[in-house]
Each structure stands twice: as structure tokens, then as C-alpha cells.
Amino acid sequence: MDTEITVALIGAAGVCGTIAGTVVGARIQAHGGHAQAQAARDAADTAAQSARQQDLHDLRWATLTALLRAAAECMEATEHLFISSQARADAERAEIERAHHTFRLVYAEAELATPPGLELALRHMNSAVMGAYQAGKTRAPTERALRALEELTQEGDPAAVRAKESLIRLRAAGAPLWSPYRGSPPPEYAEVIEALYEVPRLDRSQVRLLLGSAAVPHEFELNPHDNVRGARQEWAERRNAYQDARRELIAAAREAMSTDEA
């Protein structure tokens, strides 16, 4: 009887041990499954984060590349304002404005997309391109009007010769500055106004430009070669400023985007 009880107890113990082992094994396996699942989720998150960083990196490079391209196109178009004839500049005005508009749009995108550390270089680029464009819009038309007048005098146009001589006398007399867009002209301008409007091949916009600069000696040299040289010199300085800004932006972009953090 004792032997039977002992055997029964041993059997029961074996069964209980098997059950306990199964439970413990199931728990271990469950915990292992959770760990594997968590590891899989972590791997997926890491991959997603890496993909987002790569996408951001690609977006930034693409935006900066587009900015550099738009800046170059805008500068190329602006050059025509400085060195082209009146007729050519008028014909190309739409292209110049298109290039300027494109640059403004791409620059706005670059302000949003570029990484930290490029803000100053980005502003320098914008300043160089916009400075050249604004200078071309303001000074270049007067330069072209002056060249048009000089070309007419070289052709022997009597009215152009009289207009040029009256402009020289006005400046030599130390006449005050006057803008044709503001108020009545000073008495000193009466002769030159009449003379310029008598030049049939000068349009009204050219006459107004010449009058607005007539009393400014350093901006109004009545020599076509000096004026062409002056306009080209200013363009060369503007172009150099742009090239410096371009090199600065490229160097800053390479430094900011060559790290692991996109």
C-alpha cells in the first residue's frame, strides 16, 4: 500500500512538473515573442526615420540646386539691362521679368527648406541677385538713353547735337537736381527740355531719363565710351558680388549637409 501511494505521488509530481514546465515555457516564449515584435517595430521606426531624413536631405539639395540655377538665369537676364541696346532690352523685358519672378519663388522655397546654418549665406545670395536686378532696372535705362543721344549726335543729327550741348551747359551751370515725375522744372531746365523734345528719335521715356540725370556729373558723362565702360564696370562689380555669394552658399551647404543629420 505504501508502495502504491509512493508511486502515485511520484506520478502526480511528474505530471505537475510537466504542467509547470509547460506554463513556464509558454511564458518565456510569449515574452520572447513580445521582444521580437518590439525589435521589429524599432527596426521599422528606424527605417522610417532614415527614409524621412533621406527625403529631407534630397529635398534640400534639390531646392538649393534650383536656387543656384534660378539665380544664374536671373543674373544672365539682368546683364542685358546693363549692356544691351534700348531695342534689345525692350524685346527681352518679358524674359528678364520671368527670370526675376522665378528666382523670387525659388528663393522663398529655399528659405523654408534649407537646413540651419545657411540663413546668412542665403541672404547674401538674395542680396547679390536682387541688387544687380534693381541696379539694372534703375541705372541701365538712363545709360541706354544717353547712348541713344550720343549715337544720334555721331550721326550728325542737328537736334541731337543741340540737345547734348544744352545738357552740357545745364550741368556746367550747377543746376539743381530735378525729377520730371515731381513738380515743375526749375527755370534752368527750360532750354534743355525744349531741346530734348525736339529730337524726333528720342521717345518721351528717354527724354525724362536724361532730364532726371542731367545735373548729376558722376552719373552723366556725355561720352558714349565712358558710359558703356561705366555700365560694364558696374555690371562686373555686381557679377563679382554674386559669384562671391554663390561660392559662400555652396560652401555653407556642403558643410551643413555633409553630416549624418540631414
Side-chain angles (χ1 to χ4, degrees), residues 10-31:
I10 291 174
V15 172
C16 290
T18 301
I19 295 173
T22 302
V23 172
V24 171
R27 288 182 178 179
I28 292 173
Q29 185 175 7
H31 285 304

Side-chain angles (χ1 to χ4, degrees), residues 38-54:
Q38 184 60 48
R41 286 193 294 270
D42 291 343
D45 290 342
T46 300
Q49 179 65 20
S50 178
R52 285 193 296 270
Q53 290 179 340
Q54 186 61 46

Side-chain angles (χ1 to χ4, degrees), residues 12 64 67 75 77 93-94 116 120 132 135 150 250 253 257:
L64 287 171
L67 176 68
M75 290 295 292
R93 191 173 304 280
L120 183 59
E150 184 61 29
I250 291 174
M257 300 176 68

Side-chain angles (χ1 to χ4, degrees), residues 65-80 92 95-103 106 125 129 133 235 242 246:
T65 300
L67 176 68
L68 292 171
R69 184 182 300 112
E73 291 177 355
C74 189
M75 290 295 292
E76 181 179 350
T78 299
E79 182 179 10
H80 298 161
E92 295 172 341
E95 176 62 22
I96 293 168
E97 293 305 319
R98 183 204 64 77
H100 168 253
H101 182 66
T102 299
F103 173 76
V106 176
M125 169 64 79
V129 174
Y133 171 77
W235 168 248
Y242 155 72
R246 183 177 184 276

Side-chain angles (χ1 to χ4, degrees), residues 121-146:
L122 201 63
R123 288 197 297 270
H124 287 170
M125 169 64 79
N126 181 61
S127 178
V129 174
M130 293 305 299
Y133 171 77
Q134 293 298 337
K137 292 276 286 186
T138 55
R139 177 175 175 178
T142 300
E143 300 284 353
R144 290 194 298 270
L146 182 58

Side-chain angles (χ1 to χ4, degrees), residues 33-241:
H34 289 311
Q36 291 176 347
Q38 184 60 48
R41 286 193 294 270
D42 291 343
D45 290 342
T46 300
Q49 179 65 20
S50 178
R52 285 193 296 270
Q53 290 179 340
Q54 186 61 46
D55 288 345
L56 181 57
H57 183 275
D58 294 344
L59 172 64
R60 285 169 169 171
W61 270 122
T63 302
L64 287 171
T65 300
L67 176 68
L68 292 171
R69 184 182 300 112
E73 291 177 355
C74 189
M75 290 295 292
E76 181 179 350
T78 299
E79 182 179 10
H80 298 161
L81 292 173
F82 284 91
I83 64 177
S84 295
S85 65
Q86 182 71 43
R88 183 178 176 185
D90 290 342
E92 295 172 341
R93 191 173 304 280
E95 176 62 22
I96 293 168
E97 293 305 319
R98 183 204 64 77
H100 168 253
H101 182 66
T102 299
F103 173 76
R104 298 304 302 148
L105 292 178
V106 176
Y107 178 77
E109 294 176 358
E111 286 186 300
L112 295 174
T114 51
L118 267 67
E119 294 86 355
L120 183 59
L122 201 63
R123 288 197 297 270
H124 287 170
M125 169 64 79
N126 181 61
S127 178
V129 174
M130 293 305 299
Y133 171 77
Q134 293 298 337
K137 292 276 286 186
T138 55
R139 177 175 175 178
T142 300
E143 300 284 353
R144 290 194 298 270
L146 182 58
R147 290 201 297 272
L149 176 62
E150 184 61 29
E151 288 169 3
L152 292 174
T153 64
Q154 293 297 319
E155 294 173 7
D157 185 316
V161 172
R162 287 194 299 272
K164 177 179 176 178
E165 291 174 347
S166 67
L167 283 167
I168 293 173
R169 287 192 294 270
L170 177 73
R171 190 175 58 192
L177 288 174
W178 171 65
S179 170
Y181 302 98
R182 295 182 181 177
S184 301
E188 297 91 332
Y189 280 75
E191 178 189 354
V192 73
I193 290 173
E194 181 180 358
L196 284 170
Y197 277 112
E198 286 180 353
V199 182
R201 290 163 64 184
L202 288 180
D203 61 38
R204 289 182 175 273
S205 64
Q206 290 174 316
V207 170
R208 286 192 292 267
L209 289 167
L210 291 170
L211 289 172
S213 299
V216 186
H218 66 282
E219 291 184 2
F220 198 82
E221 295 295 335
L222 290 174
N223 182 306
H225 302 296
D226 287 346
N227 277 275
V228 170
R229 184 163 56 246
R232 289 185 182 276
Q233 176 64 31
E234 179 168 353
W235 168 248
E237 294 171 357
R238 296 287 182 178
R239 184 179 55 204
N240 289 339

